[in-house]
Amino acid sequence: MSTLTKQEIAIVYVRVSSARQAAEGLSLEAQERTLTASAEGAGYSVSLFSDNGKSGKSLKARSGLQAALVELNSGRAQALYVARLDRLARSVSDLLGIVDQAIKNNWRLVLLDLGVDTATPHGRLVLSMLGSVAEFERGLISERQKDVHAERRSRGDVWGVTKGNLPETSQEVRALVSDLASKGLSLRAIAQELTDRKIPTTRGGVAWYASTVRALLNSPSMNLEKTA
């Protein structure tokens, strides 16, 4: 690693979620002392961020960590020092998210309990492996979403018409669609008729499509009217 300048800042992040943890040696002060000594020993100027009485189950609930990540990702701080892995993240997904930010924004991550320091070849290898896992996880999520959307399309589902938050189509439009269908008009012909009449779609659109008409005809509201 290149020689540090006076402007380089290391954030020491400390957290306890209970008085019991503090009594067991995990107090904010104990963490701060250890981390400050390590960061200052590496030549950094130290900035303290903390979350007192906050669980590690959620990143969003920890304002101290969120503020620290803003400083790191913006380049105003160059390193993050944490005493133990569980002080930083309690779930794999949260840890991978933080690792991903460190890689993308090129800041140093030091986990004292694991001996992980991305300023060393070993630390960079560990971080790179974790980053690869994060990328793999995103790929799996993307593939699962594609499969879900493909399955919905195969069933003729339309989000906002048969799935999700369902806005209400007016009774007049439902009656018109039902009447046109009863006359033997195709889905495409019904869609064109609605568009020509300048009848807005359920979500306020100007153009109707066969898939939208099909979804409306198969919607629970239409089925209820048929059995009424």
mmCIF file of all heavy atoms in Angstrom, residues 156 161-162 169 173-182 185-188 190-191 194 208-226:
data_model
loop_
_atom_site.group_PDB
_atom_site.id
_atom_site.type_symbol
_atom_site.label_atom_id
_atom_site.label_comp_id
_atom_site.label_asym_id
_atom_site.label_seq_id
_atom_site.Cartn_x
_atom_site.Cartn_y
_atom_site.Cartn_z
ATOM 1 N N GLY A 156 -50.606 -15.504 -18.951
ATOM 2 C CA GLY A 156 -51.371 -14.331 -19.350
ATOM 3 C C GLY A 156 -51.565 -13.332 -18.240
ATOM 4 O O GLY A 156 -52.410 -12.445 -18.337
ATOM 5 N N VAL A 161 -53.072 -5.865 -13.183
ATOM 6 C CA VAL A 161 -54.398 -6.254 -13.693
ATOM 7 C C VAL A 161 -54.854 -7.543 -13.030
ATOM 8 O O VAL A 161 -55.960 -7.644 -12.516
ATOM 9 C CB VAL A 161 -54.384 -6.411 -15.228
ATOM 10 C CG1 VAL A 161 -55.739 -6.887 -15.736
ATOM 11 C CG2 VAL A 161 -53.998 -5.103 -15.887
ATOM 12 N N THR A 162 -53.990 -8.561 -13.031
ATOM 13 C CA THR A 162 -54.324 -9.805 -12.335
ATOM 14 C C THR A 162 -53.428 -10.072 -11.148
ATOM 15 O O THR A 162 -53.707 -10.944 -10.333
ATOM 16 C CB THR A 162 -54.226 -11.005 -13.305
ATOM 17 O OG1 THR A 162 -52.873 -11.109 -13.762
ATOM 18 C CG2 THR A 162 -55.155 -10.820 -14.482
ATOM 19 N N THR A 169 -60.999 -1.358 -12.552
ATOM 20 C CA THR A 169 -61.516 -0.946 -13.863
ATOM 21 C C THR A 169 -62.987 -0.604 -13.686
ATOM 22 O O THR A 169 -63.726 -1.322 -13.015
ATOM 23 C CB THR A 169 -61.364 -2.086 -14.882
ATOM 24 O OG1 THR A 169 -59.992 -2.482 -14.943
ATOM 25 C CG2 THR A 169 -61.812 -1.643 -16.268
ATOM 26 N N VAL A 173 -66.524 0.053 -18.386
ATOM 27 C CA VAL A 173 -65.517 -0.547 -19.264
ATOM 28 C C VAL A 173 -65.606 -2.067 -19.206
ATOM 29 O O VAL A 173 -65.524 -2.744 -20.240
ATOM 30 C CB VAL A 173 -64.106 -0.063 -18.884
ATOM 31 C CG1 VAL A 173 -63.040 -0.810 -19.684
ATOM 32 C CG2 VAL A 173 -63.969 1.430 -19.118
ATOM 33 N N ARG A 174 -65.780 -2.618 -18.017
ATOM 34 C CA ARG A 174 -65.900 -4.075 -17.901
ATOM 35 C C ARG A 174 -67.111 -4.570 -18.682
ATOM 36 O O ARG A 174 -67.045 -5.596 -19.374
ATOM 37 C CB ARG A 174 -66.019 -4.476 -16.434
ATOM 38 C CG ARG A 174 -64.772 -4.195 -15.607
ATOM 39 C CD ARG A 174 -64.769 -5.024 -14.322
ATOM 40 N NE ARG A 174 -65.949 -4.778 -13.510
ATOM 41 C CZ ARG A 174 -66.038 -3.846 -12.562
ATOM 42 N NH1 ARG A 174 -64.997 -3.038 -12.345
ATOM 43 N NH2 ARG A 174 -67.124 -3.709 -11.843
ATOM 44 N N ALA A 175 -68.225 -3.844 -18.590
ATOM 45 C CA ALA A 175 -69.434 -4.239 -19.308
ATOM 46 C C ALA A 175 -69.214 -4.166 -20.818
ATOM 47 O O ALA A 175 -69.667 -5.049 -21.571
ATOM 48 C CB ALA A 175 -70.597 -3.333 -18.905
ATOM 49 N N LEU A 176 -68.511 -3.127 -21.283
ATOM 50 C CA LEU A 176 -68.247 -2.980 -22.708
ATOM 51 C C LEU A 176 -67.366 -4.117 -23.212
ATOM 52 O O LEU A 176 -67.642 -4.711 -24.268
ATOM 53 C CB LEU A 176 -67.575 -1.636 -22.978
ATOM 54 C CG LEU A 176 -67.113 -1.380 -24.420
ATOM 55 C CD1 LEU A 176 -68.294 -1.473 -25.386
ATOM 56 C CD2 LEU A 176 -66.413 -0.036 -24.531
ATOM 57 N N VAL A 177 -66.306 -4.421 -22.488
ATOM 58 C CA VAL A 177 -65.407 -5.502 -22.880
ATOM 59 C C VAL A 177 -66.154 -6.830 -22.926
ATOM 60 O O VAL A 177 -66.002 -7.625 -23.857
ATOM 61 C CB VAL A 177 -64.210 -5.585 -21.916
ATOM 62 C CG1 VAL A 177 -63.393 -6.851 -22.164
ATOM 63 C CG2 VAL A 177 -63.326 -4.359 -22.070
ATOM 64 N N SER A 178 -66.970 -7.071 -21.913
ATOM 65 C CA SER A 178 -67.748 -8.308 -21.869
ATOM 66 C C SER A 178 -68.706 -8.389 -23.050
ATOM 67 O O SER A 178 -68.869 -9.449 -23.669
ATOM 68 C CB SER A 178 -68.517 -8.383 -20.547
ATOM 69 O OG SER A 178 -69.288 -9.563 -20.470
ATOM 70 N N ASP A 179 -69.336 -7.260 -23.391
ATOM 71 C CA ASP A 179 -70.279 -7.226 -24.512
ATOM 72 C C ASP A 179 -69.570 -7.491 -25.832
ATOM 73 O O ASP A 179 -70.069 -8.273 -26.665
ATOM 74 C CB ASP A 179 -70.969 -5.862 -24.552
ATOM 75 C CG ASP A 179 -71.980 -5.766 -25.699
ATOM 76 O OD1 ASP A 179 -72.924 -6.583 -25.717
ATOM 77 O OD2 ASP A 179 -71.806 -4.886 -26.564
ATOM 78 N N LEU A 180 -68.414 -6.863 -26.039
ATOM 79 C CA LEU A 180 -67.670 -7.063 -27.284
ATOM 80 C C LEU A 180 -67.202 -8.508 -27.413
ATOM 81 O O LEU A 180 -67.228 -9.087 -28.511
ATOM 82 C CB LEU A 180 -66.463 -6.114 -27.333
ATOM 83 C CG LEU A 180 -66.799 -4.614 -27.422
ATOM 84 C CD1 LEU A 180 -65.529 -3.780 -27.299
ATOM 85 C CD2 LEU A 180 -67.512 -4.304 -28.740
ATOM 86 N N ALA A 181 -66.806 -9.096 -26.286
ATOM 87 C CA ALA A 181 -66.360 -10.486 -26.322
ATOM 88 C C ALA A 181 -67.518 -11.425 -26.646
ATOM 89 O O ALA A 181 -67.354 -12.405 -27.379
ATOM 90 C CB ALA A 181 -65.740 -10.860 -24.979
ATOM 91 N N SER A 182 -68.690 -11.111 -26.116
ATOM 92 C CA SER A 182 -69.858 -11.961 -26.362
ATOM 93 C C SER A 182 -70.287 -11.925 -27.833
ATOM 94 O O SER A 182 -70.934 -12.845 -28.318
ATOM 95 C CB SER A 182 -71.027 -11.534 -25.471
ATOM 96 O OG SER A 182 -71.513 -10.255 -25.850
ATOM 97 N N LEU A 185 -65.851 -10.839 -31.004
ATOM 98 C CA LEU A 185 -64.669 -10.089 -31.386
ATOM 99 C C LEU A 185 -63.419 -10.704 -30.771
ATOM 100 O O LEU A 185 -63.458 -11.181 -29.640
ATOM 101 C CB LEU A 185 -64.781 -8.624 -30.959
ATOM 102 C CG LEU A 185 -65.475 -7.665 -31.950
ATOM 103 C CD1 LEU A 185 -66.962 -7.991 -32.045
ATOM 104 C CD2 LEU A 185 -65.239 -6.232 -31.537
ATOM 105 N N SER A 186 -62.346 -10.690 -31.527
ATOM 106 C CA SER A 186 -61.086 -11.215 -31.020
ATOM 107 C C SER A 186 -60.519 -10.270 -29.968
ATOM 108 O O SER A 186 -60.932 -9.104 -29.864
ATOM 109 C CB SER A 186 -60.072 -11.382 -32.145
ATOM 110 O OG SER A 186 -59.692 -10.103 -32.663
ATOM 111 N N LEU A 187 -59.555 -10.773 -29.210
ATOM 112 C CA LEU A 187 -58.913 -9.936 -28.194
ATOM 113 C C LEU A 187 -58.273 -8.705 -28.834
ATOM 114 O O LEU A 187 -58.367 -7.596 -28.305
ATOM 115 C CB LEU A 187 -57.862 -10.744 -27.428
ATOM 116 C CG LEU A 187 -58.376 -11.920 -26.600
ATOM 117 C CD1 LEU A 187 -57.204 -12.717 -26.038
ATOM 118 C CD2 LEU A 187 -59.286 -11.441 -25.472
ATOM 119 N N ARG A 188 -57.641 -8.899 -29.980
ATOM 120 C CA ARG A 188 -56.984 -7.775 -30.658
ATOM 121 C C ARG A 188 -58.015 -6.761 -31.146
ATOM 122 O O ARG A 188 -57.794 -5.548 -31.058
ATOM 123 C CB ARG A 188 -56.151 -8.289 -31.826
ATOM 124 C CG ARG A 188 -55.419 -7.198 -32.594
ATOM 125 C CD ARG A 188 -54.468 -7.762 -33.609
ATOM 126 N NE ARG A 188 -53.415 -8.546 -32.972
ATOM 127 C CZ ARG A 188 -52.434 -9.158 -33.642
ATOM 128 N NH1 ARG A 188 -52.391 -9.091 -34.964
ATOM 129 N NH2 ARG A 188 -51.508 -9.827 -33.005
ATOM 130 N N ILE A 190 -60.994 -6.216 -29.837
ATOM 131 C CA ILE A 190 -61.527 -5.504 -28.667
ATOM 132 C C ILE A 190 -60.547 -4.428 -28.229
ATOM 133 O O ILE A 190 -60.941 -3.294 -27.925
ATOM 134 C CB ILE A 190 -61.792 -6.485 -27.509
ATOM 135 C CG1 ILE A 190 -62.904 -7.474 -27.880
ATOM 136 C CG2 ILE A 190 -62.166 -5.728 -26.231
ATOM 137 C CD1 ILE A 190 -63.129 -8.567 -26.859
ATOM 138 N N ALA A 191 -59.258 -4.782 -28.199
ATOM 139 C CA ALA A 191 -58.235 -3.810 -27.811
ATOM 140 C C ALA A 191 -58.240 -2.613 -28.751
ATOM 141 O O ALA A 191 -58.154 -1.460 -28.318
ATOM 142 C CB ALA A 191 -56.865 -4.475 -27.804
ATOM 143 N N LEU A 194 -61.344 -0.364 -28.073
ATOM 144 C CA LEU A 194 -61.181 0.451 -26.882
ATOM 145 C C LEU A 194 -60.217 1.608 -27.127
ATOM 146 O O LEU A 194 -60.436 2.736 -26.668
ATOM 147 C CB LEU A 194 -60.674 -0.406 -25.723
ATOM 148 C CG LEU A 194 -61.621 -1.512 -25.228
ATOM 149 C CD1 LEU A 194 -60.910 -2.413 -24.227
ATOM 150 C CD2 LEU A 194 -62.870 -0.914 -24.598
ATOM 151 N N TRP A 208 -54.669 0.005 -25.739
ATOM 152 C CA TRP A 208 -55.015 -1.301 -25.213
ATOM 153 C C TRP A 208 -54.318 -2.373 -26.045
ATOM 154 O O TRP A 208 -54.054 -2.184 -27.222
ATOM 155 C CB TRP A 208 -56.528 -1.523 -25.254
ATOM 156 C CG TRP A 208 -57.296 -0.730 -24.245
ATOM 157 C CD1 TRP A 208 -57.599 0.590 -24.314
ATOM 158 C CD2 TRP A 208 -57.851 -1.216 -23.023
ATOM 159 N NE1 TRP A 208 -58.313 0.978 -23.207
ATOM 160 C CE2 TRP A 208 -58.485 -0.114 -22.392
ATOM 161 C CE3 TRP A 208 -57.878 -2.457 -22.393
ATOM 162 C CZ2 TRP A 208 -59.137 -0.237 -21.173
ATOM 163 C CZ3 TRP A 208 -58.535 -2.578 -21.173
ATOM 164 C CH2 TRP A 208 -59.151 -1.476 -20.578
ATOM 165 N N TYR A 209 -54.066 -3.528 -25.416
ATOM 166 C CA TYR A 209 -53.432 -4.644 -26.103
ATOM 167 C C TYR A 209 -54.212 -5.922 -25.826
ATOM 168 O O TYR A 209 -54.975 -6.006 -24.858
ATOM 169 C CB TYR A 209 -51.984 -4.819 -25.648
ATOM 170 C CG TYR A 209 -51.136 -3.608 -25.921
ATOM 171 C CD1 TYR A 209 -50.949 -2.636 -24.934
ATOM 172 C CD2 TYR A 209 -50.548 -3.408 -27.167
ATOM 173 C CE1 TYR A 209 -50.176 -1.506 -25.182
ATOM 174 C CE2 TYR A 209 -49.770 -2.285 -27.421
ATOM 175 C CZ TYR A 209 -49.600 -1.338 -26.435
ATOM 176 O OH TYR A 209 -48.847 -0.220 -26.684
ATOM 177 N N ALA A 210 -54.021 -6.906 -26.703
ATOM 178 C CA ALA A 210 -54.751 -8.160 -26.555
ATOM 179 C C ALA A 210 -54.478 -8.798 -25.199
ATOM 180 O O ALA A 210 -55.382 -9.329 -24.550
ATOM 181 C CB ALA A 210 -54.371 -9.121 -27.682
ATOM 182 N N SER A 211 -53.229 -8.741 -24.750
ATOM 183 C CA SER A 211 -52.880 -9.343 -23.468
ATOM 184 C C SER A 211 -53.597 -8.658 -22.312
ATOM 185 O O SER A 211 -54.006 -9.306 -21.338
ATOM 186 C CB SER A 211 -51.367 -9.296 -23.253
ATOM 187 O OG SER A 211 -50.909 -7.953 -23.257
ATOM 188 N N THR A 212 -53.757 -7.322 -22.422
ATOM 189 C CA THR A 212 -54.443 -6.579 -21.368
ATOM 190 C C THR A 212 -55.924 -6.935 -21.333
ATOM 191 O O THR A 212 -56.521 -7.086 -20.262
ATOM 192 C CB THR A 212 -54.279 -5.070 -21.588
ATOM 193 O OG1 THR A 212 -52.908 -4.776 -21.834
ATOM 194 C CG2 THR A 212 -54.765 -4.282 -20.381
ATOM 195 N N VAL A 213 -56.516 -7.067 -22.519
ATOM 196 C CA VAL A 213 -57.931 -7.448 -22.600
ATOM 197 C C VAL A 213 -58.128 -8.856 -22.047
ATOM 198 O O VAL A 213 -59.073 -9.114 -21.287
ATOM 199 C CB VAL A 213 -58.427 -7.370 -24.052
ATOM 200 C CG1 VAL A 213 -59.853 -7.906 -24.152
ATOM 201 C CG2 VAL A 213 -58.364 -5.945 -24.573
ATOM 202 N N ARG A 214 -57.227 -9.776 -22.410
ATOM 203 C CA ARG A 214 -57.328 -11.149 -21.910
ATOM 204 C C ARG A 214 -57.263 -11.167 -20.390
ATOM 205 O O ARG A 214 -58.048 -11.848 -19.720
ATOM 206 C CB ARG A 214 -56.203 -12.007 -22.468
ATOM 207 C CG ARG A 214 -56.270 -13.467 -21.982
ATOM 208 C CD ARG A 214 -55.016 -14.257 -22.303
ATOM 209 N NE ARG A 214 -54.772 -14.330 -23.721
ATOM 210 C CZ ARG A 214 -53.766 -13.730 -24.344
ATOM 211 N NH1 ARG A 214 -52.919 -12.982 -23.630
ATOM 212 N NH2 ARG A 214 -53.588 -13.846 -25.635
ATOM 213 N N ALA A 215 -56.311 -10.414 -19.831
ATOM 214 C CA ALA A 215 -56.165 -10.371 -18.385
ATOM 215 C C ALA A 215 -57.414 -9.805 -17.722
ATOM 216 O O ALA A 215 -57.837 -10.272 -16.658
ATOM 217 C CB ALA A 215 -54.944 -9.535 -18.012
ATOM 218 N N LEU A 216 -58.003 -8.783 -18.337
ATOM 219 C CA LEU A 216 -59.210 -8.189 -17.772
ATOM 220 C C LEU A 216 -60.365 -9.179 -17.817
ATOM 221 O O LEU A 216 -61.119 -9.319 -16.841
ATOM 222 C CB LEU A 216 -59.568 -6.917 -18.546
ATOM 223 C CG LEU A 216 -60.820 -6.169 -18.068
ATOM 224 C CD1 LEU A 216 -60.678 -5.768 -16.598
ATOM 225 C CD2 LEU A 216 -61.056 -4.928 -18.927
ATOM 226 N N LEU A 217 -60.515 -9.901 -18.930
ATOM 227 C CA LEU A 217 -61.600 -10.882 -19.043
ATOM 228 C C LEU A 217 -61.429 -12.019 -18.037
ATOM 229 O O LEU A 217 -62.422 -12.597 -17.576
ATOM 230 C CB LEU A 217 -61.638 -11.451 -20.463
ATOM 231 C CG LEU A 217 -62.194 -10.518 -21.546
ATOM 232 C CD1 LEU A 217 -61.938 -11.101 -22.919
ATOM 233 C CD2 LEU A 217 -63.687 -10.286 -21.324
ATOM 234 N N ASN A 218 -60.183 -12.326 -17.687
ATOM 235 C CA ASN A 218 -59.922 -13.419 -16.746
ATOM 236 C C ASN A 218 -59.792 -12.942 -15.303
ATOM 237 O O ASN A 218 -59.518 -13.735 -14.412
ATOM 238 C CB ASN A 218 -58.628 -14.145 -17.131
ATOM 239 C CG ASN A 218 -58.765 -14.893 -18.445
ATOM 240 O OD1 ASN A 218 -59.849 -15.330 -18.819
ATOM 241 N ND2 ASN A 218 -57.647 -15.033 -19.170
ATOM 242 N N SER A 219 -59.959 -11.641 -15.083
ATOM 243 C CA SER A 219 -59.777 -11.078 -13.754
ATOM 244 C C SER A 219 -60.903 -11.490 -12.821
ATOM 245 O O SER A 219 -62.014 -11.801 -13.261
ATOM 246 C CB SER A 219 -59.698 -9.552 -13.830
ATOM 247 O OG SER A 219 -60.940 -9.009 -14.235
ATOM 248 N N PRO A 220 -60.642 -11.504 -11.518
ATOM 249 C CA PRO A 220 -61.674 -11.877 -10.539
ATOM 250 C C PRO A 220 -62.928 -11.020 -10.640
ATOM 251 O O PRO A 220 -64.036 -11.512 -10.453
ATOM 252 C CB PRO A 220 -60.961 -11.675 -9.200
ATOM 253 C CG PRO A 220 -59.515 -11.852 -9.510
ATOM 254 C CD PRO A 220 -59.335 -11.274 -10.877
ATOM 255 N N SER A 221 -62.753 -9.719 -10.936
ATOM 256 C CA SER A 221 -63.923 -8.843 -10.982
ATOM 257 C C SER A 221 -64.872 -9.244 -12.101
ATOM 258 O O SER A 221 -66.094 -9.211 -11.947
ATOM 259 C CB SER A 221 -63.486 -7.390 -11.179
ATOM 260 O OG SER A 221 -62.762 -7.230 -12.380
ATOM 261 N N MET A 222 -64.326 -9.656 -13.259
ATOM 262 C CA MET A 222 -65.164 -10.096 -14.376
ATOM 263 C C MET A 222 -65.844 -11.425 -14.050
ATOM 264 O O MET A 222 -67.017 -11.643 -14.372
ATOM 265 C CB MET A 222 -64.322 -10.246 -15.638
ATOM 266 C CG MET A 222 -63.715 -8.936 -16.140
ATOM 267 S SD MET A 222 -64.943 -7.785 -16.808
ATOM 268 C CE MET A 222 -65.210 -8.501 -18.436
ATOM 269 N N ASN A 223 -65.097 -12.320 -13.411
ATOM 270 C CA ASN A 223 -65.668 -13.607 -13.043
ATOM 271 C C ASN A 223 -66.810 -13.458 -12.043
ATOM 272 O O ASN A 223 -67.798 -14.171 -12.096
ATOM 273 C CB ASN A 223 -64.578 -14.526 -12.473
ATOM 274 C CG ASN A 223 -63.565 -14.944 -13.530
ATOM 275 O OD1 ASN A 223 -63.899 -15.028 -14.702
ATOM 276 N ND2 ASN A 223 -62.335 -15.178 -13.104
ATOM 277 N N LEU A 224 -66.642 -12.496 -11.119
ATOM 278 C CA LEU A 224 -67.706 -12.264 -10.140
ATOM 279 C C LEU A 224 -68.961 -11.766 -10.823
ATOM 280 O O LEU A 224 -70.083 -12.154 -10.482
ATOM 281 C CB LEU A 224 -67.232 -11.264 -9.091
ATOM 282 C CG LEU A 224 -66.241 -11.800 -8.054
ATOM 283 C CD1 LEU A 224 -65.742 -10.661 -7.175
ATOM 284 C CD2 LEU A 224 -66.891 -12.876 -7.189
ATOM 285 N N GLU A 225 -68.805 -10.886 -11.824
ATOM 286 C CA GLU A 225 -69.971 -10.337 -12.517
ATOM 287 C C GLU A 225 -70.683 -11.426 -13.312
ATOM 288 O O GLU A 225 -71.902 -11.413 -13.460
ATOM 289 C CB GLU A 225 -69.526 -9.197 -13.433
ATOM 290 C CG GLU A 225 -69.095 -7.957 -12.658
ATOM 291 C CD GLU A 225 -68.658 -6.818 -13.577
ATOM 292 O OE1 GLU A 225 -68.732 -7.002 -14.810
ATOM 293 O OE2 GLU A 225 -68.253 -5.772 -13.060
ATOM 294 N N LYS A 226 -69.899 -12.372 -13.838
ATOM 295 C CA LYS A 226 -70.524 -13.450 -14.613
ATOM 296 C C LYS A 226 -71.376 -14.355 -13.750
ATOM 297 O O LYS A 226 -72.384 -14.903 -14.188
ATOM 298 C CB LYS A 226 -69.424 -14.292 -15.278
ATOM 299 C CG LYS A 226 -68.688 -13.564 -16.404
ATOM 300 C CD LYS A 226 -67.577 -14.439 -16.955
ATOM 301 C CE LYS A 226 -66.776 -13.710 -18.022
ATOM 302 N NZ LYS A 226 -65.650 -14.537 -18.526
#
